[in-house]
Amino acid sequence: MAKRSSLSIRIVEGKNLPAKDITGSSDPYCIVKVDNEPIIRTATVWKTLCPFWGEEYQVYLSPSFHAVAFYVMDEDALSRDDVIGKVCLTRDILAAHPKGFSGWAHLAEVDPDEEVQGEIHLRLEVVRGTQACLLRCSVLEARDLAPKDRNGASDPFVRVRYNGRTQETSVVKKSCYPRWNETFEFELKEGAAEALCVEAWDWDLVSRNDFLGKVVVNVQRLWAAQQEEGWFRLQPDQSKSRREEGNLGSLQLEVRLRDETVLPSSCYQPLVQLLCREVKLGVQGPGQLIPLIEEMTSTECRQNVATNLLKLFLGQGLAKDFLDLLFQLELGRTSEANTLFRSNSLASKSMESFLKVAGMRYLHGVLGPIINKVFEEKKYVELDPSKVEVKDVGCSGLHRPQTEAEVLEQSAQTLRAHLGALLSALSRSVRACPAVVRATFRQLFRRVRERFPGAQHENLPFIAVTSFLCLRFFSPAIMAPKLFHLRERHADARTSRTLLLLAKAVQNVGNMDMQTSRAKEAWMEPLQPTVRQGVAQLKDFITKLVDIEEKEELDLQRALSLQAPPVKEGPLFIHRTKGKGPLMSSSFKKLHFSLTTEALSFAKTPSSKKSTLIKLANIRAAEKVEEKSFSSSHVMQVIYTDDTGQLQTAYLQCKSVNELNQWLSALRKVSINNSGLLGSYHPGIFRGDKWSCCHQKDKTDLGCDKTRSRVTLQEWNDPLDHDLEAQLIYQHLLGLEAALREKHQELSAGAGAGSVPTGPGEAPEDPLAQLLQVLHDLREAHASSPAGSPPAEPTCLLPLQT
């Protein structure tokens, strides 16, 4: 069994931020830190005091984390970015909100004395002598201290205070991982109530010393224990009176902490098998557990439940069957054709999740080039006459300013070109679409045509497909490309308007150019010739898309399973050294890297022949590197064993904090089940005759900081974790247990318990009763197993092959 913690984070918007630029505005973005470790950076929203981000993240981390902090920053091109304020949520605050913290939080001023991080290793003991007792404090080492100097490090020393007496360690220069091994003794009187205070400071020659954190020890408790040793978390200095908040603005957040104890796979098999059997039986099954789950799941929980069920069945090879069952259920209760799949039903939510999980790479291939072209052109585009601003276009050389009619005509030409390019790319993409997506759309197409066979509903099967492909997948990605990982930054106002108009045009094509959608916005009329042509192209595309037989589907999936799909790829800079001794130099060289479930490889260009750098099974850790090591930020290290079994390190530089954390996350996920993973590492480099981080001279030293192999970010192409999805489904069903039991009693009293044979010689039992028994058994398994013990069997992570 393993205990796992995760944070669901949504950074919504800010308001009433202070102006940091001379223009009277700001360029705000957010940095998210978990225990002072930066893990997320939002996009910058330019020239506003009320920014909207709308960015969502899922972070997996160690159950022992303490706090998550949100720093609102103002980006400056020529100088260091300004800190506007922060919001800090401790683990206790999040634990007190089981359904999540949601709402506006006032930004607080960032106080340097509260910006502390790291831990200090102390040995404390009471030494009883013949005449007096001594309090002995051994200051051994510290790790992950805050860098306070311009060189990216600190010059730390420790000040120990007790009973009016103060003693200090020596200063360790240029290190955030100092080792002192110094011992101090104080006279101790029995029954003394005064606390022992251990403070860490950064020594400065000219200015005031910087506070690094402190530990306050209860001496009375130490009397009872006699001796205590361990790592103590450094705490901020909260003795100063806090300034009132209120003039720094507010931040709207949605943050939810989930602590899950995941049992061994065998414990979840009865639940998984029961749900899979229900899906295989389809609408002919007697139990109908899936409809019951949908009926009893609240609207606010439906998206999460849909995603968990979808991933569970995707891992079992039953995603198409699960969605087919949901299609039939929704069609069975739909009488009006124009309301089909328009609600936030379990079918709609599951299909949305399915396309994001299984079709994201396909989306990138189709939309990527068009979105990039829109961003690069940055043309002023507007079709609504009431919103046209001719002054934004300006003069063209010595010619007169453009008229409103000319602006509208040029805008229509630009949008027609983008829409035409998108539809052409879509028409050519039939073979690129994953087989499981094509097969699922085939089932949807057939079910809708069977339910509404009349000639008046000729377009309805096409509209059913486009309602998901265009309206719920392509259009949202066009309007918000950053949220679909198509761009690193949000679009500016001009580009956003172009994307919005393009998305509207795609929606009109997806609606098969219905009169109702045309009547809403008559000013879209200039695009109608392209829209009508697009409808014909889209219908031809869908006809080919759903024309996939079972054999072709299996052949495509089999061919795909033989490939090692890239988990992550992109350009990185690898560190290279030249020469030896005093003439040695180092530099970073740009190469294209690709991480698969087999190896980390590189090539000169994306199309060049790849060379294996590190075999996946040889990875022992993937961690960050101190900024001072190479005088460069966003550097990571991959520690691995070579062919002789010796530890080696590859240093790779990323271009941003987000890219750094995404690569670290991907490397950690694919190597999580490797044997021999390291528990500690050196965040610095071995230069000359010592480590730059802790100044130790033994190159084989175990390391001065702990590894963070469990800290990862959720991505759309994550490996499927069967056990975690089963645990999340169990937790949801546990909340419905009372309602399920009541429903079972109602069904049993009304028509007798429906039954289905469970095996030769076994008494028949209805699926709902089986489900209740499975929930009871899982609850007993959780109660009898100690939380946090190592798993009895390795967690099976399947690569997502779509």
Side-chain angles (χ1 to χ4, degrees):
M1 171 171 28
K3 190 171 183 179
R4 306 183 189 182
S5 294
S6 66
L7 281 175
S8 299
I9 297 173
R10 184 165 189 255
I11 304 170
V12 186
E13 60 182 321
K15 68 179 181 181
N16 302 328
L17 302 182
K20 290 290 184 178
D21 300 336
I22 58 174
T23 58
S25 186
S26 290
D27 304 314
Y29 67 92
C30 285
I31 290 283
V32 183
K33 295 184 180 182
V34 174
D35 290 342
N36 291 95
E37 183 80 9
I39 56 169
I40 295 166
R41 184 203 192 276
T42 69
T44 300
V45 183
W46 304 101
K47 298 177 182 175
T48 179
L49 301 180
C50 296
F52 178 83
W53 291 287
E55 298 187 20
E56 298 181 21
Y57 302 91
Q58 182 89 4
V59 185
Y60 299 100
L61 32 74
S62 167
S64 60
F65 90 97
H66 296 86
V68 55
F70 301 83
Y71 292 78
V72 180
M73 312 289 291
D74 168 54
E75 182 168 341
D76 287 322
L78 301 178
S79 60
R80 180 176 293 184
D81 294 350
D82 300 314
V83 181
I84 295 176
K86 75 168 185 177
V87 173
C88 185
L89 300 175
T90 64
R91 198 184 205 288
D92 294 337
I93 292 175
L94 295 172
H97 296 78
K99 292 187 177 181
F101 173 89
S102 179
W104 289 94
H106 290 295
L107 290 172
E109 187 176 357
V110 176
D111 186 342
D113 286 346
E114 291 188 11
E115 297 301 297
V116 303
Q117 65 186 64
E119 300 170 308
I120 188 167
H121 188 186
L122 303 175
R123 184 190 301 121
L124 306 165
E125 54 187 326
V126 175
V127 182
R128 296 183 181 274
T130 55
Q131 296 181 347
C133 292
L134 295 177
L135 172 59
R136 182 176 295 162
C137 174
S138 298
V139 181
L140 305 178
E141 57 186 322
R143 63 188 178 195
D144 196 27
L145 298 179
K148 295 290 186 178
D149 299 336
R150 290 179 177 271
N151 58 18
S154 288
D155 303 320
F157 69 96
V158 172
R159 184 177 293 158
V160 185
R161 293 189 287 108
Y162 179 71
N163 199 22
R165 188 177 167 210
T166 301
Q167 300 187 64
E168 294 181 354
T169 67
S170 57
V171 176
V172 179
K173 294 290 187 70
K174 299 179 182 177
S175 176
C176 292
Y177 299 84
R179 295 186 180 182
W180 293 284
N181 292 318
E182 298 183 29
T183 301
F184 307 99
E185 292 183 346
F186 301 88
E187 185 177 341
L188 183 62
K189 295 180 181 179
E190 193 162 352
E194 186 173 348
L196 174 74
C197 185
V198 180
E199 298 176 342
W201 292 84
D202 167 48
W203 178 83
D204 285 320
L205 177 63
V206 179
S207 60
R208 181 178 64 91
N209 294 339
D210 298 310
F211 180 73
L212 295 175
K214 69 177 181 179
V215 173
V216 179
V217 180
N218 187 324
V219 176
Q220 288 184 329
R221 191 182 69 180
L222 188 60
W223 265 108
Q226 293 294 301
Q227 185 173 349
E228 191 171 346
E229 180 178 347
W231 287 94
F232 295 81
R233 181 174 172 78
L234 291 169
Q235 301 294 330
D237 183 9
Q238 297 177 333
S239 59
K240 298 189 299 183
S241 59
R242 294 186 59 85
R243 300 180 185 177
E244 291 186 7
E245 304 168 351
N247 60 346
L248 297 178
S250 304
L251 188 63
Q252 188 181 6
L253 300 168
E254 295 173 12
V255 186
R256 185 183 182 187
L257 169 66
R258 296 191 71 155
D259 289 318
E260 298 292 345
T261 301
V262 181
L263 300 170
S265 297
S266 56
C267 297
Y268 298 108
Q269 283 306 302
L271 175 62
V272 174
Q273 290 171 2
L274 179 61
L275 293 175
C276 288
R277 189 180 67 193
E278 286 292 301
V279 167
K280 289 175 183 177
L281 290 172
V283 292
Q284 306 302 321
Q288 296 291 288
L289 288 182
I290 302 299
L292 273 178
I293 293 173
E294 178 177 18
E295 177 189 335
M296 296 180 179
T297 300
S298 64
T299 305
E300 61 181 10
C301 297
R302 196 164 291 158
Q303 182 65 74
N304 289 335
V305 174
T307 302
N308 298 145
L309 286 170
L310 186 278
K311 287 185 175 180
L312 180 75
F313 291 122
L314 195 62
Q316 300 296 322
L318 292 173
K320 179 186 69 176
D321 305 85
F322 168 61
L323 292 166
D324 186 33
L325 172 59
L326 295 180
F327 296 153
Q328 293 179 72
L329 293 172
E330 178 137 345
L331 285 163
R333 59 176 179 259
T334 302
S335 56
E336 293 291 333
N338 59 358
T339 63
L340 186 61
F341 300 118
R342 297 294 180 177
S343 65
N344 290 322
S345 62
L346 189 63
S348 298
K349 293 297 184 183
S350 298
M351 195 63 182
E352 282 182 32
S353 296
F354 172 66
L355 289 174
K356 288 180 180 178
V357 173
M360 193 68 84
R361 195 179 301 279
Y362 169 67
L363 175 102
H364 280 220
V366 175
L367 277 187
I370 287 90
I371 297 295
N372 290 338
K373 188 174 182 181
V374 173
F375 271 78
E376 290 162 5
E377 287 183 350
K378 294 184 178 181
K379 289 184 178 180
Y380 176 70
V381 174
E382 184 55 74
L383 291 181
D384 187 350
S386 65
K387 294 183 179 180
V388 171
E389 297 179 6
V390 178
K391 63 180 182 181
D392 281 356
V393 180
C395 300
S396 177
L398 298 176
H399 296 87
R400 59 175 175 77
Q402 288 180 297
T403 64
E404 180 181 299
E406 289 172 335
V407 173
L408 294 173
E409 177 56 31
Q410 285 193 4
S411 298
Q413 289 179 6
T414 301
L415 286 170
R416 283 195 289 264
H418 289 320
L419 182 60
L422 194 157
L423 292 168
S424 297
L426 192 62
S427 299
R428 298 191 302 268
S429 69
V430 173
R431 299 290 297 178
C433 187
V436 66
V437 175
R438 293 182 62 187
T440 302
F441 278 131
R442 177 195 65 204
Q443 293 300 104
L444 173 62
F445 192 89
R446 288 178 179 176
R447 297 299 184 192
V448 175
R449 190 165 55 184
E450 291 168 2
R451 175 65 180 82
F452 297 97
Q456 71 273 26
H457 300 304
E458 179 186 359
N459 281 340
L460 198 56
F462 295 96
I463 293 175
V465 173
T466 60
S467 68
F468 291 115
L469 187 65
C470 294
L471 275 63
R472 293 177 181 260
F473 195 39
F474 276 78
S475 288
I478 293 170
M479 287 190 288
K482 184 183 186 303
L483 303 187
F484 285 75
H485 309 287
L486 287 162
R487 299 289 297 186
E488 290 186 5
R489 292 177 174 267
H490 286 302
D492 57 26
R494 177 175 290 190
T495 306
S496 291
R497 183 61 180 169
T498 306
L499 293 173
L500 177 62
L501 293 172
L502 179 60
K504 284 179 179 290
V506 171
Q507 289 174 355
N508 287 346
V509 176
N511 286 326
M512 297 291 149
D513 191 28
M514 290 192 298
Q515 191 66 35
T516 53
S517 62
R518 235 190 298 170
K520 291 180 182 177
E521 294 164 333
W523 43 264
M524 294 284 288
E525 186 65 29
L527 299 184
Q528 284 310 117
T530 310
V531 169
R532 282 192 290 270
Q533 182 182 352
V535 169
Q537 285 181 271
L538 193 58
K539 290 179 74 171
D540 181 64
F541 163 73
I542 292 173
T543 302
K544 295 176 182 177
L545 186 75
V546 300
D547 184 20
I548 178 173
E549 298 302 325
E550 299 286 346
K551 183 179 183 304
E552 184 183 0
E553 177 189 350
L554 293 173
D555 289 343
L556 287 171
Q557 290 180 342
R558 191 176 297 113
L560 189 62
S561 66
L562 298 176
Q563 304 173 5
V567 175
K568 186 164 181 62
E569 57 184 342
L572 292 173
F573 296 84
I574 186 169
H575 181 255
R576 297 285 175 87
T577 57
K578 298 178 182 179
K580 293 183 178 180
L583 298 178
M584 185 178 70
S585 63
S586 65
S587 62
F588 283 93
K589 181 179 180 181
K590 185 178 181 179
L591 295 170
H592 185 85
F593 281 81
S594 176
L595 175 65
T596 68
T597 53
E598 296 176 357
L600 176 65
S601 306
F602 67 91
K604 287 186 176 180
T605 64
S607 57
S608 303
K609 183 179 179 181
K610 293 182 174 61
S611 302
T612 298
L613 176 65
I614 304 169
K615 293 180 180 177
L616 186 69
N618 293 348
I619 294 177
R620 296 295 174 260
E623 299 293 337
K624 295 180 181 179
V625 177
E626 279 188 305
E627 187 173 330
K628 70 166 187 174
S629 301
F630 296 106
S631 298
S632 300
S633 54
H634 317 314
V635 179
M636 65 177 174
Q637 55 180 308
V638 184
I639 306 172
Y640 64 99
T641 53
D642 58 18
D643 294 336
T644 64
Q646 298 297 313
L647 285 178
Q648 304 292 340
T649 304
Y651 296 101
L652 305 170
Q653 185 178 22
C654 306
K655 61 184 178 183
S656 67
V657 64
N658 279 353
E659 187 179 67
L660 171 65
N661 284 301
Q662 288 163 8
W663 272 101
L664 286 172
S665 182
L667 287 162
R668 289 166 179 170
K669 287 172 191 171
V670 296
S671 62
I672 192 64
N673 289 323
N674 283 5
S675 59
L677 289 178
L678 299 179
S680 61
Y681 78 108
H682 285 284
I685 59 173
F686 196 83
R687 179 179 287 132
D689 63 345
K690 63 183 179 182
W691 288 100
S692 64
C693 44
C694 59
H695 300 175
Q696 298 305 300
K697 297 191 175 184
D698 183 2
K699 191 173 183 179
T700 61
D701 187 71
L702 290 177
C704 53
D705 198 7
K706 55 188 176 183
T707 55
R708 296 164 177 81
S709 59
R710 293 286 176 182
V711 179
T712 58
L713 297 171
Q714 185 183 63
E715 297 285 349
W716 56 268
N717 58 347
D718 274 352
L720 298 172
D721 189 340
H722 296 162
D723 298 343
L724 179 59
E725 301 305 335
Q727 168 63 24
L728 293 174
I729 293 169
Y730 157 70
Q731 282 287 5
H732 176 69
L733 293 175
L734 199 61
L736 304 177
E737 187 178 21
L740 289 169
R741 196 172 297 281
E742 184 179 335
K743 186 72 173 180
H744 179 252
Q745 292 173 351
E746 177 187 325
L747 294 173
S748 300
S755 61
V756 58
T758 56
E762 294 183 10
E765 188 176 14
D766 68 284
L768 187 50
Q770 284 183 310
L771 178 61
L772 291 169
Q773 183 61 47
V774 166
L775 295 179
H776 174 269
D777 294 343
L778 278 170
R779 189 167 56 247
E780 292 291 318
H782 274 282
S784 61
S785 299
S789 60
E793 54 192 82
T795 302
C796 182
L797 294 178
L798 296 184
L800 183 58
Q801 298 183 345
T802 54

